[in-house]
Amino acid sequence: MKHQVFSEELVASVVQELHIADLAHATIGEVLLVASRLEQLTGIPFIRMDQGSPGLPVNRVGVEAEKVALDRGVGAQYPAADGIPELKREASRFVKAFVNVDITPRSCIPTTGSVAASFGAFVVCTQCRPGKDKVLFIDPGFPIQKSQLRIIGARWEQFYIYRYRGEALRDKLESYLCRGDIAAIVYSNPNNPAWICLEDSELKIIGELADRYDAVVLENMAYFCMDFRQDLGHPWQPPYPPTVARYTDRYILMLSSSKIFSYAGQRIAVACVSDKLFDTHFPALAARYGDSGMFGQTFEASVLYMITSGCIASTQYGYAEMLKASSDGMLDFAADVREYARRAERMKKIFTDNGFHIVYDYDVTRPVGDGFFFTIGYGQMDGGDLLRELLYYGVSSISLSTTGSEQYGVRACTSRMREELYPVMEERMRNFRLDHPLEK
């Protein structure tokens, strides 16, 4: 007799009801729908490891600043397309305080989350130069970004970085760039889903090759200062997190409020464009949009504004105040989000005590740190099968195969774990192991 929480028949009926074609390769959104529907039908809580949504209280500094802005009447007028001056100024100051990189306020463009930032960046980057119309993904990565390219009809290449760490990255990266059609390179650091972190030497390689082959680097800083193996997040003093911005002037840093300030519901981020790239003139952009052809102006006015019509005014004031408080040393966001590392440590132990293994356990020369995400496998079970089997035991995740990974396993997010769920998870994983004995 199996010890499943949800029967295979019930899960199959929900999958059919939701018209999900292939549960083994389900998207984050599809897994979320299945877990939510099963909870709704049975009242039994899930261990939710699927969506990377923050699981900490919203930052009150931002909330109070938004209230003040709304009381002041900012909701009555459309915000400027390029963002409010306060946010642009504080974003520039924050990048200097925490990354030690100089970007003028003019080049810091508010966006409705980093998803909108990457969408707009993909549009502009793939249209700058005729023939340079592909995006190169350093995988594993964020699957939504490939969906964005499907929408705009742009092409992409991808490679699996785990086999090409350190100096081996150079030849692999150049093998794509030398073809002449790569417009942009994209990755997150720390990585979603593996939580590996590109090191300075690797970012130097990316920067040097971006310069040589005229490609724009899109660096997703969604998990800013969340490599807890280092004591990051102290304003105006080292150590600073690694960034490609030290090695090239062709970059866009995507800095989101969602994780570091638990402000995901307000959908606010800043795309920090290098000043040189911002001012670079592209005749193809001028011809297409009838504007100046300057990268930054086209990005903010001819593309981003068409997607979202600007960011909510009060939210911009909230984000500006959180950035200001952080740069002033009044808000320690890095200490706040360290809770995710504590959760990861406890969750990993429950899994490994019950026969699971950590898929991405090493990061060049160091063990992978604890943080927002981690990865688990079980014997030789592939990611799709493991995703489905875990659902029967009330645990939701996403298959690593959907992220461009070549490893068997699933991604686990720590954000929605709660104290009362640890004993529930322990019981369910003990039962999982009983029902899935591993060969000795």
PDB file of all heavy atoms in Angstrom, residues 319-342:
ATOM      1  N   TYR A 319       9.698  52.234  -3.952  1.00  0.00           N
ATOM      2  CA  TYR A 319      10.985  51.616  -4.286  1.00  0.00           C
ATOM      3  C   TYR A 319      12.126  52.598  -4.040  1.00  0.00           C
ATOM      4  O   TYR A 319      13.173  52.224  -3.496  1.00  0.00           O
ATOM      5  CB  TYR A 319      10.956  51.161  -5.744  1.00  0.00           C
ATOM      6  CG  TYR A 319      12.079  50.228  -6.146  1.00  0.00           C
ATOM      7  CD1 TYR A 319      12.798  49.494  -5.206  1.00  0.00           C
ATOM      8  CD2 TYR A 319      12.409  50.062  -7.493  1.00  0.00           C
ATOM      9  CE1 TYR A 319      13.802  48.613  -5.601  1.00  0.00           C
ATOM     10  CE2 TYR A 319      13.410  49.189  -7.893  1.00  0.00           C
ATOM     11  CZ  TYR A 319      14.110  48.473  -6.937  1.00  0.00           C
ATOM     12  OH  TYR A 319      15.110  47.610  -7.343  1.00  0.00           O
ATOM     13  N   ALA A 320      11.918  53.850  -4.419  1.00  0.00           N
ATOM     14  CA  ALA A 320      12.953  54.864  -4.210  1.00  0.00           C
ATOM     15  C   ALA A 320      13.320  54.979  -2.732  1.00  0.00           C
ATOM     16  O   ALA A 320      14.497  55.080  -2.366  1.00  0.00           O
ATOM     17  CB  ALA A 320      12.490  56.213  -4.750  1.00  0.00           C
ATOM     18  N   GLU A 321      12.318  54.941  -1.878  1.00  0.00           N
ATOM     19  CA  GLU A 321      12.577  55.096  -0.442  1.00  0.00           C
ATOM     20  C   GLU A 321      13.314  53.877   0.126  1.00  0.00           C
ATOM     21  O   GLU A 321      14.178  54.022   1.004  1.00  0.00           O
ATOM     22  CB  GLU A 321      11.265  55.321   0.301  1.00  0.00           C
ATOM     23  CG  GLU A 321      11.433  55.784   1.741  1.00  0.00           C
ATOM     24  CD  GLU A 321      12.174  57.106   1.862  1.00  0.00           C
ATOM     25  OE1 GLU A 321      12.084  57.950   0.939  1.00  0.00           O
ATOM     26  OE2 GLU A 321      12.857  57.307   2.894  1.00  0.00           O
ATOM     27  N   MET A 322      12.987  52.677  -0.362  1.00  0.00           N
ATOM     28  CA  MET A 322      13.696  51.484   0.102  1.00  0.00           C
ATOM     29  C   MET A 322      15.156  51.503  -0.348  1.00  0.00           C
ATOM     30  O   MET A 322      16.061  51.142   0.422  1.00  0.00           O
ATOM     31  CB  MET A 322      12.995  50.228  -0.405  1.00  0.00           C
ATOM     32  CG  MET A 322      11.637  49.993   0.232  1.00  0.00           C
ATOM     33  SD  MET A 322      10.840  48.445  -0.258  1.00  0.00           S
ATOM     34  CE  MET A 322      10.416  48.770  -1.972  1.00  0.00           C
ATOM     35  N   LEU A 323      15.385  51.930  -1.579  1.00  0.00           N
ATOM     36  CA  LEU A 323      16.765  52.046  -2.062  1.00  0.00           C
ATOM     37  C   LEU A 323      17.536  53.086  -1.251  1.00  0.00           C
ATOM     38  O   LEU A 323      18.695  52.868  -0.875  1.00  0.00           O
ATOM     39  CB  LEU A 323      16.771  52.415  -3.541  1.00  0.00           C
ATOM     40  CG  LEU A 323      16.206  51.374  -4.508  1.00  0.00           C
ATOM     41  CD1 LEU A 323      16.164  51.940  -5.928  1.00  0.00           C
ATOM     42  CD2 LEU A 323      17.026  50.092  -4.485  1.00  0.00           C
ATOM     43  N   LYS A 324      16.887  54.215  -0.984  1.00  0.00           N
ATOM     44  CA  LYS A 324      17.534  55.284  -0.208  1.00  0.00           C
ATOM     45  C   LYS A 324      17.885  54.802   1.202  1.00  0.00           C
ATOM     46  O   LYS A 324      19.009  55.019   1.685  1.00  0.00           O
ATOM     47  CB  LYS A 324      16.630  56.510  -0.125  1.00  0.00           C
ATOM     48  CG  LYS A 324      17.235  57.686   0.644  1.00  0.00           C
ATOM     49  CD  LYS A 324      16.287  58.874   0.661  1.00  0.00           C
ATOM     50  CE  LYS A 324      16.963  60.098   1.277  1.00  0.00           C
ATOM     51  NZ  LYS A 324      17.434  59.852   2.658  1.00  0.00           N
ATOM     52  N   ALA A 325      16.931  54.163   1.874  1.00  0.00           N
ATOM     53  CA  ALA A 325      17.177  53.679   3.232  1.00  0.00           C
ATOM     54  C   ALA A 325      18.311  52.666   3.252  1.00  0.00           C
ATOM     55  O   ALA A 325      19.115  52.625   4.195  1.00  0.00           O
ATOM     56  CB  ALA A 325      15.897  53.068   3.808  1.00  0.00           C
ATOM     57  N   SER A 326      18.405  51.839   2.205  1.00  0.00           N
ATOM     58  CA  SER A 326      19.486  50.857   2.122  1.00  0.00           C
ATOM     59  C   SER A 326      20.827  51.546   1.939  1.00  0.00           C
ATOM     60  O   SER A 326      21.813  51.224   2.626  1.00  0.00           O
ATOM     61  CB  SER A 326      19.230  49.890   0.962  1.00  0.00           C
ATOM     62  OG  SER A 326      18.023  49.193   1.123  1.00  0.00           O
ATOM     63  N   SER A 327      20.898  52.497   1.024  1.00  0.00           N
ATOM     64  CA  SER A 327      22.156  53.207   0.781  1.00  0.00           C
ATOM     65  C   SER A 327      22.585  54.032   1.982  1.00  0.00           C
ATOM     66  O   SER A 327      23.784  54.238   2.220  1.00  0.00           O
ATOM     67  CB  SER A 327      22.008  54.113  -0.451  1.00  0.00           C
ATOM     68  OG  SER A 327      21.697  53.369  -1.604  1.00  0.00           O
ATOM     69  N   ASP A 328      21.614  54.507   2.752  1.00  0.00           N
ATOM     70  CA  ASP A 328      21.913  55.282   3.959  1.00  0.00           C
ATOM     71  C   ASP A 328      22.302  54.402   5.148  1.00  0.00           C
ATOM     72  O   ASP A 328      22.632  54.914   6.222  1.00  0.00           O
ATOM     73  CB  ASP A 328      20.695  56.130   4.361  1.00  0.00           C
ATOM     74  CG  ASP A 328      20.446  57.290   3.409  1.00  0.00           C
ATOM     75  OD1 ASP A 328      21.357  57.615   2.619  1.00  0.00           O
ATOM     76  OD2 ASP A 328      19.336  57.856   3.452  1.00  0.00           O
ATOM     77  N   GLY A 329      22.218  53.081   4.977  1.00  0.00           N
ATOM     78  CA  GLY A 329      22.544  52.172   6.062  1.00  0.00           C
ATOM     79  C   GLY A 329      21.441  52.010   7.086  1.00  0.00           C
ATOM     80  O   GLY A 329      21.666  51.466   8.173  1.00  0.00           O
ATOM     81  N   MET A 330      20.223  52.434   6.745  1.00  0.00           N
ATOM     82  CA  MET A 330      19.094  52.345   7.672  1.00  0.00           C
ATOM     83  C   MET A 330      18.264  51.078   7.459  1.00  0.00           C
ATOM     84  O   MET A 330      17.438  50.733   8.297  1.00  0.00           O
ATOM     85  CB  MET A 330      18.187  53.576   7.503  1.00  0.00           C
ATOM     86  CG  MET A 330      18.908  54.910   7.683  1.00  0.00           C
ATOM     87  SD  MET A 330      19.651  55.066   9.319  1.00  0.00           S
ATOM     88  CE  MET A 330      18.170  55.173  10.332  1.00  0.00           C
ATOM     89  N   LEU A 331      18.469  50.390   6.348  1.00  0.00           N
ATOM     90  CA  LEU A 331      17.699  49.195   6.022  1.00  0.00           C
ATOM     91  C   LEU A 331      18.666  48.099   5.585  1.00  0.00           C
ATOM     92  O   LEU A 331      19.373  48.246   4.584  1.00  0.00           O
ATOM     93  CB  LEU A 331      16.702  49.504   4.892  1.00  0.00           C
ATOM     94  CG  LEU A 331      15.927  48.329   4.291  1.00  0.00           C
ATOM     95  CD1 LEU A 331      15.113  47.607   5.354  1.00  0.00           C
ATOM     96  CD2 LEU A 331      15.022  48.818   3.164  1.00  0.00           C
ATOM     97  N   ASP A 332      18.720  47.006   6.335  1.00  0.00           N
ATOM     98  CA  ASP A 332      19.641  45.900   6.052  1.00  0.00           C
ATOM     99  C   ASP A 332      18.886  44.786   5.338  1.00  0.00           C
ATOM    100  O   ASP A 332      18.483  43.793   5.942  1.00  0.00           O
ATOM    101  CB  ASP A 332      20.265  45.401   7.358  1.00  0.00           C
ATOM    102  CG  ASP A 332      21.420  44.433   7.128  1.00  0.00           C
ATOM    103  OD1 ASP A 332      21.591  43.979   5.980  1.00  0.00           O
ATOM    104  OD2 ASP A 332      22.139  44.129   8.101  1.00  0.00           O
ATOM    105  N   PHE A 333      18.685  44.960   4.039  1.00  0.00           N
ATOM    106  CA  PHE A 333      17.903  43.986   3.279  1.00  0.00           C
ATOM    107  C   PHE A 333      18.605  42.632   3.226  1.00  0.00           C
ATOM    108  O   PHE A 333      17.954  41.580   3.192  1.00  0.00           O
ATOM    109  CB  PHE A 333      17.623  44.500   1.857  1.00  0.00           C
ATOM    110  CG  PHE A 333      18.850  44.651   0.994  1.00  0.00           C
ATOM    111  CD1 PHE A 333      19.340  43.589   0.262  1.00  0.00           C
ATOM    112  CD2 PHE A 333      19.517  45.871   0.926  1.00  0.00           C
ATOM    113  CE1 PHE A 333      20.460  43.723  -0.526  1.00  0.00           C
ATOM    114  CE2 PHE A 333      20.651  46.008   0.141  1.00  0.00           C
ATOM    115  CZ  PHE A 333      21.132  44.934  -0.583  1.00  0.00           C
ATOM    116  N   ALA A 334      19.935  42.618   3.214  1.00  0.00           N
ATOM    117  CA  ALA A 334      20.667  41.352   3.132  1.00  0.00           C
ATOM    118  C   ALA A 334      20.427  40.498   4.368  1.00  0.00           C
ATOM    119  O   ALA A 334      20.308  39.266   4.275  1.00  0.00           O
ATOM    120  CB  ALA A 334      22.157  41.615   2.941  1.00  0.00           C
ATOM    121  N   ALA A 335      20.338  41.125   5.535  1.00  0.00           N
ATOM    122  CA  ALA A 335      20.055  40.384   6.758  1.00  0.00           C
ATOM    123  C   ALA A 335      18.632  39.831   6.731  1.00  0.00           C
ATOM    124  O   ALA A 335      18.383  38.710   7.189  1.00  0.00           O
ATOM    125  CB  ALA A 335      20.250  41.280   7.978  1.00  0.00           C
ATOM    126  N   ASP A 336      17.704  40.605   6.176  1.00  0.00           N
ATOM    127  CA  ASP A 336      16.308  40.160   6.109  1.00  0.00           C
ATOM    128  C   ASP A 336      16.168  38.887   5.279  1.00  0.00           C
ATOM    129  O   ASP A 336      15.512  37.929   5.692  1.00  0.00           O
ATOM    130  CB  ASP A 336      15.422  41.261   5.512  1.00  0.00           C
ATOM    131  CG  ASP A 336      15.291  42.465   6.434  1.00  0.00           C
ATOM    132  OD1 ASP A 336      15.572  42.328   7.640  1.00  0.00           O
ATOM    133  OD2 ASP A 336      14.904  43.543   5.929  1.00  0.00           O
ATOM    134  N   VAL A 337      16.797  38.860   4.093  1.00  0.00           N
ATOM    135  CA  VAL A 337      16.595  37.733   3.184  1.00  0.00           C
ATOM    136  C   VAL A 337      17.467  36.525   3.527  1.00  0.00           C
ATOM    137  O   VAL A 337      17.332  35.458   2.913  1.00  0.00           O
ATOM    138  CB  VAL A 337      16.820  38.151   1.710  1.00  0.00           C
ATOM    139  CG1 VAL A 337      15.771  39.157   1.281  1.00  0.00           C
ATOM    140  CG2 VAL A 337      18.217  38.703   1.485  1.00  0.00           C
ATOM    141  N   ARG A 338      18.335  36.657   4.511  1.00  0.00           N
ATOM    142  CA  ARG A 338      19.140  35.509   4.947  1.00  0.00           C
ATOM    143  C   ARG A 338      18.251  34.380   5.479  1.00  0.00           C
ATOM    144  O   ARG A 338      18.668  33.226   5.556  1.00  0.00           O
ATOM    145  CB  ARG A 338      20.150  35.945   6.009  1.00  0.00           C
ATOM    146  CG  ARG A 338      21.199  34.902   6.333  1.00  0.00           C
ATOM    147  CD  ARG A 338      22.261  35.455   7.264  1.00  0.00           C
ATOM    148  NE  ARG A 338      23.147  36.364   6.571  1.00  0.00           N
ATOM    149  CZ  ARG A 338      24.236  35.987   5.891  1.00  0.00           C
ATOM    150  NH1 ARG A 338      24.544  34.698   5.829  1.00  0.00           N
ATOM    151  NH2 ARG A 338      25.004  36.866   5.293  1.00  0.00           N
ATOM    152  N   GLU A 339      17.010  34.708   5.806  1.00  0.00           N
ATOM    153  CA  GLU A 339      16.064  33.692   6.240  1.00  0.00           C
ATOM    154  C   GLU A 339      15.923  32.584   5.199  1.00  0.00           C
ATOM    155  O   GLU A 339      15.718  31.402   5.548  1.00  0.00           O
ATOM    156  CB  GLU A 339      14.704  34.339   6.525  1.00  0.00           C
ATOM    157  CG  GLU A 339      13.535  33.376   6.711  1.00  0.00           C
ATOM    158  CD  GLU A 339      13.684  32.448   7.896  1.00  0.00           C
ATOM    159  OE1 GLU A 339      14.507  32.734   8.798  1.00  0.00           O
ATOM    160  OE2 GLU A 339      12.986  31.413   7.924  1.00  0.00           O
ATOM    161  N   TYR A 340      16.045  32.924   3.914  1.00  0.00           N
ATOM    162  CA  TYR A 340      15.927  31.906   2.877  1.00  0.00           C
ATOM    163  C   TYR A 340      17.042  30.863   2.984  1.00  0.00           C
ATOM    164  O   TYR A 340      16.821  29.677   2.715  1.00  0.00           O
ATOM    165  CB  TYR A 340      15.947  32.553   1.491  1.00  0.00           C
ATOM    166  CG  TYR A 340      14.756  33.425   1.209  1.00  0.00           C
ATOM    167  CD1 TYR A 340      14.919  34.727   0.732  1.00  0.00           C
ATOM    168  CD2 TYR A 340      13.461  32.962   1.401  1.00  0.00           C
ATOM    169  CE1 TYR A 340      13.818  35.546   0.463  1.00  0.00           C
ATOM    170  CE2 TYR A 340      12.356  33.766   1.136  1.00  0.00           C
ATOM    171  CZ  TYR A 340      12.552  35.060   0.664  1.00  0.00           C
ATOM    172  OH  TYR A 340      11.470  35.860   0.402  1.00  0.00           O
ATOM    173  N   ALA A 341      18.229  31.291   3.365  1.00  0.00           N
ATOM    174  CA  ALA A 341      19.342  30.349   3.532  1.00  0.00           C
ATOM    175  C   ALA A 341      19.064  29.393   4.685  1.00  0.00           C
ATOM    176  O   ALA A 341      19.370  28.192   4.600  1.00  0.00           O
ATOM    177  CB  ALA A 341      20.646  31.110   3.761  1.00  0.00           C
ATOM    178  N   ARG A 342      18.491  29.917   5.763  1.00  0.00           N
ATOM    179  CA  ARG A 342      18.161  29.046   6.901  1.00  0.00           C
ATOM    180  C   ARG A 342      17.112  28.007   6.502  1.00  0.00           C
ATOM    181  O   ARG A 342      17.185  26.841   6.892  1.00  0.00           O
ATOM    182  CB  ARG A 342      17.672  29.897   8.076  1.00  0.00           C
ATOM    183  CG  ARG A 342      18.781  30.744   8.710  1.00  0.00           C
ATOM    184  CD  ARG A 342      18.305  31.440   9.971  1.00  0.00           C
ATOM    185  NE  ARG A 342      17.515  32.628   9.669  1.00  0.00           N
ATOM    186  CZ  ARG A 342      18.023  33.851   9.554  1.00  0.00           C
ATOM    187  NH1 ARG A 342      19.328  34.054   9.681  1.00  0.00           N
ATOM    188  NH2 ARG A 342      17.245  34.887   9.291  1.00  0.00           N
TER     189      ARG A 342
END
